[in-house]
Amino acid sequence: MPQTPAPTARDATSAARRTHPSRRMVPRLAVCMLLIFTSFLALTGCSNLGEFDQDAIVQQAESYYESKYGANVEVADVWEDRSYQLFGYRSSGRAFCTMEDGSTVLVDFEEGVLGDNRQPHEIVAAYEERLREAIGDATQQLESAGYTVSLVFINNLSPEADGFLEGRISTYTWQKNDDSSEESGSFFYARYSGSDRFFEQEAPRVSLGVPSIDIEISGRDAAFEHGFPMNVPARPSWVDPIDDACATLLPLTDNEPEVKVTVFQEGYRNLALMEDEPLGMLGELSPFDNMEPTGNWLIVDWIPLGKGVYITSDEPGVRLREGDVTLTEVEGAFSLEELVKSGRLNERESRTYHPEAFATYQLEVRSDLFASAPVDVQDKGWFDVDIAYDNTDPTAGLAQLGVVAEELVPSLYTVRINPAAEDPEDSSDDAAASDDEPPLDVGIMRTDTLENGFQHTSTTLDEDEPLLLARV
């Protein structure tokens, strides 16, 4: 494969003369440019780029193809899989072998043959049928449990349609040379003949590309005003049918969860996608957090904390219930002047401030909550949450203060002490730099509210550090 020719010293010198009038700088500039250019080429890839054993690669491809299809087909062309950059390329350590019948065999320099693309359409269709059957069974189970299933999509397409896995399953991309466009295709190792034996053989190698399944339901445990679920049972009755469907797909990927499922209450999926928010979301099955055989569920259950504040987990595998998090009013954590000094209060120019409404709260996690959390949450010591706030709630106390709630939008702020501004043992230079740092790191509630009109924000709860909130 031809590479981009390296510029000569003469070229570099000419370029230097054009950009720098001083002739005394020319030799030094030329040397520097050549050194930089040489270093860049050295960094763009391994030292043995292009130095693979082509004969061995061809032999592997032809032997694999004959063993799989019983046909003696020779390799017509072979090229290294490279990604092209400004002054060179980087090898992926793979080669594509074009067979005489037009198919392509993909060979890894270390792992050997990865597969071929002779049967992609019928294999993709077979996997789609398996997904279609599983989702069909889940839909029937949901309806038997008393739910109305109003919508089911796989990768934004109806399960009844063909092609929802097209271009997503066991895909590889390649580029023959720096002038050609990028191509992609699906490669499979086992031969498909319509039997279940194929799925067993291909399971350790296949990637389904994490199919994303969206379901809308209405009925018990799924009907909440304005898409704001409250008092969701510990295990909603819609979870088991969907778990069963995902379990039937596990053997297809060697028992590794690869299916993401999002359950919405009826009428909210499109709205959630348009707003890029979890509006009306009842739960989500994450294949990446596979503490459970089918992945980890995130159940959206908004827990009232009082003062108009609600909280829900946004961490798969972490389920918040009443009593897991407490909200208490505190004094002396910081002053209104410190809050103003942070600068964030000035981001809403039309916002009217009421010092009499100033109050500080503390969110604290139950002491043993992290002990029952997934291992990755225990290791990092925090998890994601969403907080919602209804400043018209009587328990918020604004009416008693004579403050019009609509004038306080946003009303509630998350507050963390800024460590860059509080270390008194800094050196003089560091201390001078910290003078410019605001004492508090303040997060603003979103004014584009949830469907029920509540303000909301996303943040984290730490195991060892309570979260501070400010109302002003």
Side-chain angles (χ1 to χ4, degrees), residues 122-183:
E122 55 187 308
I123 291 175
V124 169
Y127 273 100
E128 287 184 353
E129 185 58 29
R130 293 298 177 103
L131 275 150
R132 191 177 289 117
E133 291 173 356
I135 297 305
D137 290 344
T139 300
Q140 289 182 1
Q141 291 186 52
L142 286 167
E143 291 174 346
S144 297
Y147 294 99
T148 297
V149 180
S150 55
L151 176 150
V152 178
F153 278 148
I154 305 179
N155 292 335
N156 296 319
L157 293 173
S158 167
E160 302 305 317
D162 294 327
F164 55 77
L165 286 182
E166 200 71 46
R168 296 172 177 263
I169 178 170
S170 292
T171 55
Y172 292 88
T173 59
W174 65 90
Q175 190 177 2
K176 290 184 179 181
N177 55 62
D178 57 350
D179 294 325
S180 62
S181 58
E182 191 175 74
E183 302 177 53

Coordinates of all heavy atoms in Angstrom, one line a residue, residues 122-183:
E122 N -29.0 -13.5 5.8 CA -29.8 -14.6 6.4 C -29.5 -14.8 7.9 O -30.4 -15.1 8.6 CB -29.6 -15.9 5.6 CG -28.2 -16.4 5.5 CD -28.1 -17.6 4.6 OE1 -28.9 -18.5 4.8 OE2 -27.3 -17.6 3.7
I123 N -28.3 -14.5 8.3 CA -27.9 -14.7 9.7 C -28.5 -13.5 10.5 O -29.1 -13.8 11.6 CB -26.4 -14.7 9.9 CG1 -25.8 -16.0 9.3 CG2 -26.0 -14.6 11.3 CD1 -24.3 -16.1 9.3
V124 N -28.4 -12.3 10.0 CA -29.1 -11.2 10.7 C -30.6 -11.4 10.8 O -31.2 -11.1 11.9 CB -28.7 -9.8 10.0 CG1 -29.6 -8.7 10.5 CG2 -27.3 -9.5 10.1
A125 N -31.2 -11.9 9.7 CA -32.6 -12.2 9.8 C -33.0 -13.2 10.8 O -34.0 -13.1 11.5 CB -33.1 -12.6 8.4
A126 N -32.1 -14.2 11.0 CA -32.3 -15.3 12.0 C -32.2 -14.7 13.4 O -33.0 -15.1 14.3 CB -31.3 -16.4 11.8
Y127 N -31.3 -13.8 13.7 CA -31.2 -13.2 15.0 C -32.4 -12.3 15.2 O -32.9 -12.2 16.3 CB -29.9 -12.4 15.1 CG -28.7 -13.3 15.6 CD1 -27.8 -13.8 14.7 CD2 -28.5 -13.6 16.9 CE1 -26.7 -14.5 15.1 CE2 -27.5 -14.3 17.4 CZ -26.6 -14.8 16.5 OH -25.5 -15.6 16.9
E128 N -32.8 -11.6 14.2 CA -34.0 -10.7 14.4 C -35.2 -11.6 14.7 O -36.0 -11.1 15.6 CB -34.2 -10.0 13.1 CG -33.2 -8.8 12.8 CD -33.6 -8.0 11.6 OE1 -34.5 -8.4 10.8 OE2 -32.9 -7.0 11.3
E129 N -35.3 -12.7 14.1 CA -36.5 -13.6 14.5 C -36.4 -14.0 15.9 O -37.5 -14.1 16.6 CB -36.5 -14.8 13.5 CG -37.7 -15.7 13.7 CD -39.0 -15.0 13.5 OE1 -39.1 -14.0 12.7 OE2 -40.0 -15.4 14.1
R130 N -35.2 -14.3 16.4 CA -35.1 -14.7 17.9 C -35.6 -13.6 18.8 O -36.3 -13.8 19.7 CB -33.7 -15.1 18.2 CG -33.2 -16.4 17.5 CD -34.1 -17.6 17.9 NE -33.8 -18.8 17.3 CZ -33.0 -19.8 17.8 NH1 -32.6 -19.7 19.0 NH2 -32.8 -20.9 17.1
L131 N -35.1 -12.4 18.4 CA -35.5 -11.2 19.2 C -37.0 -11.0 19.1 O -37.7 -10.6 20.1 CB -34.8 -9.9 18.8 CG -33.4 -9.7 19.4 CD1 -32.5 -9.0 18.5 CD2 -33.6 -8.9 20.7
R132 N -37.6 -11.1 17.9 CA -39.0 -10.9 17.6 C -39.8 -11.9 18.5 O -40.9 -11.5 19.1 CB -39.3 -11.1 16.2 CG -40.6 -10.7 15.7 CD -40.7 -10.8 14.2 NE -39.9 -9.9 13.5 CZ -38.9 -10.2 12.7 NH1 -38.6 -11.5 12.5 NH2 -38.2 -9.3 12.0
E133 N -39.4 -13.1 18.5 CA -40.2 -14.1 19.3 C -40.1 -13.8 20.8 O -41.1 -13.9 21.5 CB -39.6 -15.5 19.1 CG -39.8 -16.0 17.7 CD -39.1 -17.3 17.4 OE1 -38.3 -17.8 18.3 OE2 -39.2 -17.9 16.3
A134 N -38.9 -13.4 21.3 CA -38.8 -13.1 22.7 C -39.7 -11.9 23.1 O -40.4 -11.9 24.2 CB -37.3 -12.8 23.1
I135 N -39.7 -10.8 22.3 CA -40.5 -9.7 22.6 C -42.0 -10.0 22.5 O -42.8 -9.5 23.3 CB -40.1 -8.5 21.7 CG1 -38.6 -8.1 22.0 CG2 -41.0 -7.3 22.0 CD1 -38.3 -7.8 23.4
G136 N -42.3 -10.8 21.5 CA -43.7 -11.2 21.4 C -44.2 -12.0 22.6 O -45.3 -11.7 23.1
D137 N -43.4 -12.9 23.2 CA -43.7 -13.6 24.4 C -43.9 -12.6 25.6 O -44.8 -12.7 26.4 CB -42.7 -14.6 24.7 CG -42.7 -15.8 23.7 OD1 -43.7 -15.9 23.0 OD2 -41.7 -16.5 23.7
A138 N -43.0 -11.6 25.7 CA -43.0 -10.7 26.7 C -44.3 -9.8 26.6 O -45.0 -9.5 27.7 CB -41.8 -9.7 26.7
T139 N -44.7 -9.4 25.4 CA -45.9 -8.7 25.2 C -47.1 -9.4 25.7 O -48.0 -8.9 26.4 CB -46.0 -8.3 23.8 OG1 -44.9 -7.5 23.4 CG2 -47.3 -7.5 23.5
Q140 N -47.2 -10.7 25.4 CA -48.3 -11.5 25.8 C -48.4 -11.7 27.3 O -49.4 -11.6 27.9 CB -48.2 -12.9 25.1 CG -48.5 -12.9 23.6 CD -48.4 -14.3 23.0 OE1 -48.2 -15.3 23.7 NE2 -48.6 -14.4 21.7
Q141 N -47.2 -11.8 27.9 CA -47.2 -11.9 29.4 C -47.6 -10.6 30.0 O -48.3 -10.6 31.1 CB -45.8 -12.3 29.9 CG -45.3 -13.7 29.5 CD -44.0 -14.0 30.1 OE1 -43.7 -13.9 31.3 NE2 -43.0 -14.5 29.3
L142 N -47.2 -9.5 29.5 CA -47.6 -8.2 30.0 C -49.1 -8.0 29.9 O -49.8 -7.6 30.9 CB -46.9 -7.1 29.3 CG -45.4 -6.9 29.6 CD1 -44.8 -5.9 28.6 CD2 -45.3 -6.3 31.0
E143 N -49.7 -8.4 28.8 CA -51.1 -8.3 28.6 C -51.9 -9.3 29.5 O -52.9 -8.9 30.1 CB -51.5 -8.5 27.1 CG -51.0 -7.4 26.2 CD -51.2 -7.7 24.7 OE1 -51.5 -8.9 24.4 OE2 -51.1 -6.8 23.9
S144 N -51.3 -10.4 29.8 CA -51.9 -11.4 30.7 C -51.9 -10.9 32.1 O -52.8 -11.2 32.9 CB -51.2 -12.7 30.6 OG -51.3 -13.3 29.3
A145 N -50.9 -10.0 32.4 CA -50.8 -9.4 33.8 C -51.6 -8.2 33.9 O -51.6 -7.6 35.0 CB -49.3 -9.1 34.1
G146 N -52.4 -7.8 32.9 CA -53.3 -6.7 33.0 C -52.9 -5.4 32.4 O -53.5 -4.4 32.6
Y147 N -51.8 -5.4 31.7 CA -51.2 -4.2 31.1 C -51.7 -4.1 29.6 O -52.0 -5.1 29.0 CB -49.7 -4.2 31.1 CG -49.1 -4.1 32.5 CD1 -48.7 -5.3 33.1 CD2 -49.1 -2.9 33.1 CE1 -48.1 -5.2 34.4 CE2 -48.5 -2.8 34.4 CZ -48.1 -4.0 35.1 OH -47.6 -3.9 36.3
T148 N -51.8 -2.8 29.2 CA -52.0 -2.5 27.8 C -50.6 -2.1 27.2 O -50.0 -1.2 27.7 CB -53.0 -1.4 27.6 OG1 -54.2 -1.8 28.1 CG2 -53.1 -1.1 26.1
V149 N -50.1 -2.9 26.2 CA -48.9 -2.5 25.6 C -49.2 -1.7 24.3 O -49.7 -2.2 23.4 CB -48.1 -3.8 25.2 CG1 -46.8 -3.5 24.6 CG2 -47.9 -4.7 26.5
S150 N -48.9 -0.5 24.4 CA -49.3 0.4 23.3 C -48.2 0.6 22.3 O -48.5 1.1 21.2 CB -49.6 1.8 23.9 OG -48.6 2.3 24.7
L151 N -47.0 0.2 22.6 CA -45.9 0.5 21.7 C -44.7 -0.4 22.0 O -44.3 -0.6 23.2 CB -45.5 2.0 21.7 CG -44.3 2.5 20.9 CD1 -44.5 3.9 20.5 CD2 -43.0 2.3 21.7
V152 N -44.0 -1.0 21.0 CA -42.8 -1.7 21.1 C -41.9 -1.4 19.9 O -42.3 -1.5 18.8 CB -43.0 -3.2 21.2 CG1 -41.6 -3.9 21.3 CG2 -43.9 -3.6 22.4
F153 N -40.7 -0.9 20.2 CA -39.7 -0.6 19.2 C -38.4 -1.3 19.5 O -38.0 -1.4 20.7 CB -39.4 0.9 19.0 CG -40.5 1.6 18.2 CD1 -40.8 2.9 18.5 CD2 -41.1 1.0 17.2 CE1 -41.7 3.6 17.8 CE2 -42.0 1.7 16.4 CZ -42.3 3.0 16.7
I154 N -37.7 -1.8 18.5 CA -36.3 -2.3 18.6 C -35.5 -1.4 17.7 O -35.7 -1.4 16.5 CB -36.2 -3.8 18.2 CG1 -37.2 -4.7 19.1 CG2 -34.8 -4.3 18.5 CD1 -37.1 -6.1 18.7
N155 N -34.5 -0.7 18.3 CA -33.7 0.2 17.5 C -34.5 1.1 16.7 O -34.2 1.3 15.5 CB -32.7 -0.6 16.6 CG -31.6 -1.3 17.5 OD1 -31.3 -0.9 18.6 ND2 -31.1 -2.4 16.9
N156 N -35.6 1.6 17.3 CA -36.5 2.6 16.6 C -37.3 2.0 15.5 O -37.9 2.8 14.7 CB -35.7 3.8 16.1 CG -35.0 4.6 17.3 OD1 -35.6 4.8 18.3 ND2 -33.8 5.0 17.0
L157 N -37.4 0.7 15.4 CA -38.2 0.1 14.3 C -39.1 -0.9 15.0 O -38.9 -1.4 16.1 CB -37.3 -0.6 13.3 CG -36.4 0.2 12.4 CD1 -35.5 -0.7 11.6 CD2 -37.2 1.1 11.5
S158 N -40.3 -1.2 14.3 CA -41.2 -2.1 14.8 C -40.6 -3.5 14.8 O -39.9 -3.9 13.8 CB -42.5 -2.1 14.0 OG -43.3 -3.3 14.3
P159 N -40.8 -4.4 15.8 CA -40.3 -5.8 15.7 C -40.8 -6.5 14.5 O -40.2 -7.5 14.1 CB -40.8 -6.4 17.0 CG -41.0 -5.2 17.9 CD -41.5 -4.1 17.0
E160 N -42.0 -6.1 14.0 CA -42.5 -6.8 12.8 C -41.8 -6.5 11.5 O -41.8 -7.2 10.6 CB -44.0 -6.4 12.7 CG -44.9 -6.7 13.9 CD -44.8 -8.2 14.3 OE1 -44.8 -9.1 13.4 OE2 -44.6 -8.5 15.5
A161 N -41.0 -5.4 11.6 CA -40.3 -5.0 10.4 C -39.0 -5.8 10.3 O -38.4 -6.2 11.3 CB -40.0 -3.5 10.4
D162 N -38.4 -5.9 9.1 CA -37.1 -6.5 9.0 C -36.0 -5.4 9.0 O -36.3 -4.3 8.6 CB -37.0 -7.2 7.6 CG -37.9 -8.5 7.6 OD1 -38.1 -9.1 8.7 OD2 -38.5 -8.8 6.5
G163 N -34.9 -5.8 9.5 CA -33.7 -4.8 9.4 C -33.4 -4.1 10.6 O -32.6 -3.2 10.6
F164 N -34.0 -4.4 11.8 CA -33.7 -3.6 13.0 C -32.3 -4.0 13.6 O -31.8 -3.3 14.5 CB -34.8 -3.8 14.1 CG -35.1 -5.2 14.5 CD1 -34.3 -5.9 15.3 CD2 -36.3 -5.7 14.0 CE1 -34.7 -7.2 15.7 CE2 -36.7 -7.0 14.4 CZ -35.9 -7.7 15.3
L165 N -31.7 -5.1 13.1 CA -30.3 -5.4 13.4 C -29.3 -5.2 12.2 O -28.1 -5.4 12.4 CB -30.2 -6.8 13.9 CG -30.7 -7.2 15.3 CD1 -30.5 -8.6 15.6 CD2 -30.1 -6.3 16.4
E166 N -29.9 -4.7 11.1 CA -29.0 -4.6 9.9 C -27.9 -3.5 10.2 O -28.2 -2.4 10.7 CB -29.9 -4.1 8.8 CG -29.3 -4.4 7.4 CD -29.2 -5.8 7.0 OE1 -30.2 -6.5 7.2 OE2 -28.1 -6.3 6.6
G167 N -26.7 -3.9 9.9 CA -25.6 -3.0 10.1 C -25.2 -2.8 11.6 O -24.3 -2.0 11.9
R168 N -25.7 -3.7 12.5 CA -25.4 -3.5 13.9 C -24.8 -4.8 14.5 O -24.3 -4.7 15.6 CB -26.7 -3.2 14.7 CG -27.3 -1.8 14.3 CD -28.7 -1.7 15.0 NE -29.3 -0.4 14.8 CZ -29.3 0.6 15.6 NH1 -28.6 0.5 16.7 NH2 -29.9 1.8 15.3
I169 N -24.9 -5.9 13.9 CA -24.5 -7.2 14.5 C -23.2 -7.7 13.9 O -23.1 -7.8 12.7 CB -25.7 -8.2 14.3 CG1 -25.3 -9.5 15.0 CG2 -26.1 -8.4 12.9 CD1 -26.4 -10.5 15.0
S170 N -22.2 -7.9 14.8 CA -20.9 -8.4 14.4 C -20.3 -7.6 13.3 O -19.9 -8.1 12.3 CB -21.0 -9.9 14.1 OG -21.2 -10.6 15.2
T171 N -20.3 -6.3 13.4 CA -19.9 -5.4 12.3 C -18.4 -5.0 12.5 O -17.9 -4.9 13.6 CB -20.7 -4.1 12.3 OG1 -20.7 -3.5 13.6 CG2 -22.2 -4.4 11.9
Y172 N -17.8 -4.9 11.3 CA -16.4 -4.3 11.3 C -16.4 -3.2 10.2 O -17.2 -3.3 9.2 CB -15.4 -5.4 10.9 CG -15.2 -6.5 12.0 CD1 -16.0 -7.6 12.0 CD2 -14.2 -6.3 12.9 CE1 -15.9 -8.5 13.0 CE2 -14.1 -7.3 13.9 CZ -14.9 -8.4 13.9 OH -14.7 -9.3 14.9
T173 N -15.6 -2.2 10.4 CA -15.4 -1.2 9.4 C -14.0 -1.2 8.8 O -13.1 -1.6 9.5 CB -15.7 0.2 9.9 OG1 -14.8 0.4 11.0 CG2 -17.1 0.3 10.4
W174 N -13.8 -0.8 7.6 CA -12.5 -0.8 7.0 C -12.4 0.2 5.9 O -13.4 0.8 5.4 CB -12.2 -2.2 6.4 CG -13.0 -2.7 5.3 CD1 -12.8 -2.5 3.9 CD2 -14.3 -3.4 5.3 NE1 -13.8 -3.0 3.2 CE2 -14.7 -3.6 4.0 CE3 -15.0 -3.9 6.4 CZ2 -15.9 -4.3 3.7 CZ3 -16.2 -4.5 6.1 CH2 -16.6 -4.7 4.8
Q175 N -11.2 0.5 5.5 CA -10.9 1.5 4.4 C -9.8 0.9 3.6 O -8.7 0.7 4.1 CB -10.6 2.8 5.0 CG -10.5 4.0 4.0 CD -10.2 5.3 4.8 OE1 -10.1 5.3 6.0 NE2 -10.2 6.4 4.0
K176 N -9.9 0.7 2.3 CA -8.9 0.0 1.5 C -7.7 0.9 1.3 O -6.5 0.4 1.4 CB -9.5 -0.3 0.1 CG -10.5 -1.5 0.1 CD -10.9 -1.8 -1.2 CE -11.9 -3.0 -1.2 NZ -12.4 -3.4 -2.6
N177 N -7.9 2.2 1.2 CA -6.7 3.1 1.1 C -7.2 4.5 1.5 O -8.4 4.7 1.8 CB -6.1 3.2 -0.3 CG -7.2 3.5 -1.4 OD1 -7.8 4.5 -1.4 ND2 -7.4 2.5 -2.3
D178 N -6.3 5.5 1.5 CA -6.7 6.8 2.1 C -7.6 7.6 1.1 O -8.2 8.6 1.6 CB -5.4 7.6 2.4 CG -4.5 7.8 1.2 OD1 -4.8 7.1 0.1 OD2 -3.6 8.6 1.2
D179 N -7.7 7.1 -0.1 CA -8.7 7.8 -1.0 C -10.0 7.2 -1.1 O -11.0 7.7 -1.6 CB -8.1 7.8 -2.4 CG -6.8 8.6 -2.5 OD1 -6.7 9.6 -1.8 OD2 -5.9 8.2 -3.3
S180 N -10.2 6.0 -0.5 CA -11.5 5.3 -0.6 C -12.4 5.6 0.6 O -11.9 6.0 1.7 CB -11.3 3.8 -0.7 OG -10.6 3.3 0.5
S181 N -13.6 5.4 0.4 CA -14.6 5.7 1.5 C -14.6 4.5 2.5 O -14.2 3.4 2.1 CB -16.0 5.9 1.0 OG -16.4 4.8 0.2
E182 N -15.1 4.8 3.7 CA -15.1 3.7 4.7 C -16.3 2.8 4.4 O -17.4 3.2 4.0 CB -15.3 4.3 6.1 CG -15.1 3.4 7.2 CD -15.2 4.0 8.6 OE1 -16.3 4.4 9.0 OE2 -14.2 4.2 9.2
E183 N -16.0 1.5 4.6 CA -17.0 0.4 4.3 C -17.3 -0.3 5.7 O -16.4 -0.3 6.6 CB -16.6 -0.5 3.3 CG -16.2 0.1 1.9 CD -15.7 -0.9 0.9 OE1 -16.4 -2.0 0.7 OE2 -14.6 -0.7 0.4

